[in-house]
Amino acid sequence: ATDNSLLGKLASVLPQGYKFGVHHISTAPTKTEPLCSAPPGERDDKTYGESHFLTISIDPREGGSKRASPGADDAKEAGPRRQVLVFAIEVLIFTTAWQTTFFVSKADSTGYLQLLDLPQGTPSPIREVASTFLKYLLEHRRRKNIQSVVNLFARSQAQYLFPGSVENKGKHVLDDWGLVRWWCRVLNPLLEGSKSKPWGSSRGYLMVPGLEVGEMRALTPKTQGSAANWIIGQPLDKISHYVAEYDWVPLRCLIPRYPDDPKSRFRDELDEEASKWKQDMGYWKSVKTLDQFWEMMAYRQECSSGRLTGFVWLVFDSEAQKEDPLKQSLTPSKLTDTPAAQKKKKVLSGRIQSRPPKVKTEHRRQTTKPRPTITPYFYWPEEGRGDRIVEESDFKRIVEHLLQLDFSTLEKATASTRRWISE
């Protein structure tokens, strides 16, 4: 693997002298629902979605051994490879003409990494893998003069992707405070590494509903540049291109819709609470400002009763965006079908002619069609794709299959790993 490939980058951060299995699957960019609603009377952003799933596995028989010679390696590899999954992460990418958003949907470990009996003081391989994978996707999906945003929410849970793994005594489940702190440490290298990249500015944002500013600050990394890199608060009104284009933007147009996301659920409830007329006009009944939204979030079940949920964003802007975000947000392409061009409404005249409806006969197979590498709405280079490209329905089936397996014991976890990889 080349140093610039995902395998090459993972090899540089994983412990030397051990064999790791890496599986990376992804989907092609496919038109999807927009993350944020457009202001009343405006068209929604044309949005494409892409899914990535990465797993890491080990051979538990390597635990505690030292690689003495090539002959020792050959003897070890004489038997069939026995793999067990130790980590998995799912990242969803949403792209528009103005922004690329990387949403960390799920991440989990099985606890079986401890079987390698790594030397004391070895950096956490799981943290290194998560950080490297996100940095890899970010670097390969960067578009000139287009903002990139990495987003996730951290909420402690015994198991997200590996059923039964909580019964493995080797699995260390972090509490809410520890998990928020862990994710900030995962993401911090992306900020510090961006200083040598062509980003005009990069900032991390942390919001934990219910905590004071000082308490949230204590959760950020303690590196030399941390104080400058991390802002306590949220950037939703700063990363919306609507805010730069309109004098007033309804609050509901700033809250993105993500799968299984607490703030998305709250947004939906506020929509249901509002009358149809008020919802169409962009008004909510009980929440009027972003500050109010986050204050109310602190009282919701996911963020109260002794529970903490941390919302984290990394925002990367180009130098041109830093100087003039509005001007640059309107220059992704001069094609007539871009959102920027659509805002120029033509005055129609003459006779009205009806057009026959288009029948979508190829809808189910659309993800198998060839995709361009670059359009005004997404950039899909070969370097940033998975080892296998699958349709969205197959991707969901693959992840769902993992959720039906059993990782409670090493024997069951090994059998489940074999089943999942062969599937």
Side-chain angles (χ1 to χ4, degrees), residues 302-321:
E302 298 104 330
C303 308
S304 63
S305 304
R307 300 296 308 275
L308 288 180
T309 300
F311 297 87
V312 191
W313 299 262
L314 303 187
V315 181
F316 299 88
D317 287 316
S318 69
E319 191 64 43
Q321 285 174 304

Side-chain angles (χ1 to χ4, degrees), residues 90-103:
E90 180 184 58
V91 180
L92 310 180
I93 303 179
F94 300 91
T95 59
T96 68
W98 291 277
Q99 191 179 78
T100 301
T101 302
F102 304 83
F103 179 66

Side-chain angles (χ1 to χ4, degrees), residues 238-298:
K238 302 175 184 66
I239 62 179
S240 170
H241 72 90
Y242 296 132
V243 172
E245 296 174 47
Y246 300 97
D247 293 330
W248 177 77
V249 178
L251 176 58
R252 67 184 300 273
C253 300
L254 303 180
I255 312 298
R257 299 185 193 93
Y258 291 123
D260 190 30
D261 181 42
K263 63 181 181 298
S264 303
R265 282 192 287 274
F266 188 28
R267 176 196 190 283
D268 292 341
E269 289 178 22
L270 290 170
D271 275 351
E272 291 175 6
E273 171 192 284
S275 66
K276 184 69 171 68
W277 175 82
K278 284 194 172 184
Q279 187 176 319
D280 289 343
M281 294 303 294
Y283 292 102
W284 279 337
K285 184 177 179 181
S286 58
V287 177
K288 308 295 184 185
T289 67
L290 270 176
D291 287 342
Q292 273 188 308
F293 180 87
W294 290 107
E295 286 172 15
M296 295 286 285
M297 278 292 296

Side-chain angles (χ1 to χ4, degrees), residues 48 146 156 162 172 175 187 225 246 274 279 290 320 388 402:
Y48 283 80
I146 300 295
S156 182
F162 299 111
H172 179 45
D175 61 18
L187 297 175
Y246 300 97
Q279 187 176 319
L290 270 176
R388 289 196 176 181
L402 192 63

Side-chain angles (χ1 to χ4, degrees), residues 1-262:
T2 63
D3 289 341
N4 199 40
S5 69
L6 178 58
L7 286 179
K9 290 182 178 296
L10 290 174
S12 68
V13 299
L14 286 169
Q16 300 298 306
Y18 302 89
K19 279 196 167 69
F20 292 87
V22 178
H23 291 86
H24 176 202
I25 63 170
S26 69
T27 65
T30 306
K31 197 172 179 183
T32 189
E33 293 295 315
L35 286 180
C36 294
S37 300
E42 298 298 325
R43 292 188 180 185
D44 286 329
D45 286 342
K46 191 173 183 180
T47 306
Y48 283 80
E50 191 183 327
S51 303
H52 287 256
F53 197 68
L54 175 76
T55 66
I56 304 293
S57 59
I58 63 168
D59 185 338
R61 294 175 300 184
E62 292 184 330
S65 64
K66 293 184 179 179
R67 300 298 183 95
S69 66
D73 285 349
D74 294 341
K76 193 179 290 285
E77 293 173 4
R81 190 94 187 271
R82 185 187 179 204
Q83 290 181 278
V84 61
L85 289 166
V86 295
F87 179 65
I89 182 171
E90 180 184 58
V91 180
L92 310 180
I93 303 179
F94 300 91
T95 59
T96 68
W98 291 277
Q99 191 179 78
T100 301
T101 302
F102 304 83
F103 179 66
V104 182
S105 174
K106 296 182 183 73
D108 197 8
S109 63
T110 61
Y112 294 111
L113 184 66
Q114 63 143 6
L115 295 175
L116 291 187
D117 195 20
L118 297 173
Q120 193 170 1
T122 302
S124 167
I126 288 176
R127 193 175 76 225
E128 296 281 355
V129 167
S131 182
T132 299
F133 184 50
L134 289 169
K135 185 183 292 187
Y136 171 80
L137 293 176
L138 181 68
E139 288 177 352
H140 283 294
R141 297 310 165 94
R142 182 181 179 273
R143 294 184 287 164
K144 187 177 181 181
N145 296 337
I146 300 295
Q147 183 183 70
S148 288
V149 176
V150 179
N151 188 208
L152 61 86
F153 72 91
R155 181 185 59 207
S156 182
Q157 193 167 306
Q159 50 198 31
Y160 270 104
L161 289 166
F162 299 111
S165 58
V166 68
E167 297 178 34
N168 171 24
K169 294 180 181 179
K171 181 169 183 173
H172 179 45
V173 180
L174 295 171
D175 61 18
D176 296 317
W177 293 78
L179 187 63
V180 174
R181 188 180 288 111
W182 187 86
W183 272 113
C184 287
R185 292 178 69 186
V186 166
L187 297 175
N188 197 57
L190 279 69
L191 293 174
E192 296 186 342
S194 69
K195 304 308 176 187
S196 59
K197 303 293 180 183
W199 296 108
S201 67
S202 57
R203 289 287 182 274
Y205 294 81
L206 173 63
M207 172 64 78
V208 185
L211 291 191
E212 299 293 331
V213 171
E215 293 175 307
M216 286 187 271
R217 174 63 68 183
L219 295 172
T220 59
K222 301 296 185 287
T223 58
Q224 188 174 359
S226 175
N229 286 338
W230 288 90
I231 295 172
I232 302 304
Q234 53 78 38
L236 295 179
D237 51 340
K238 302 175 184 66
I239 62 179
S240 170
H241 72 90
Y242 296 132
V243 172
E245 296 174 47
Y246 300 97
D247 293 330
W248 177 77
V249 178
L251 176 58
R252 67 184 300 273
C253 300
L254 303 180
I255 312 298
R257 299 185 193 93
Y258 291 123
D260 190 30
D261 181 42

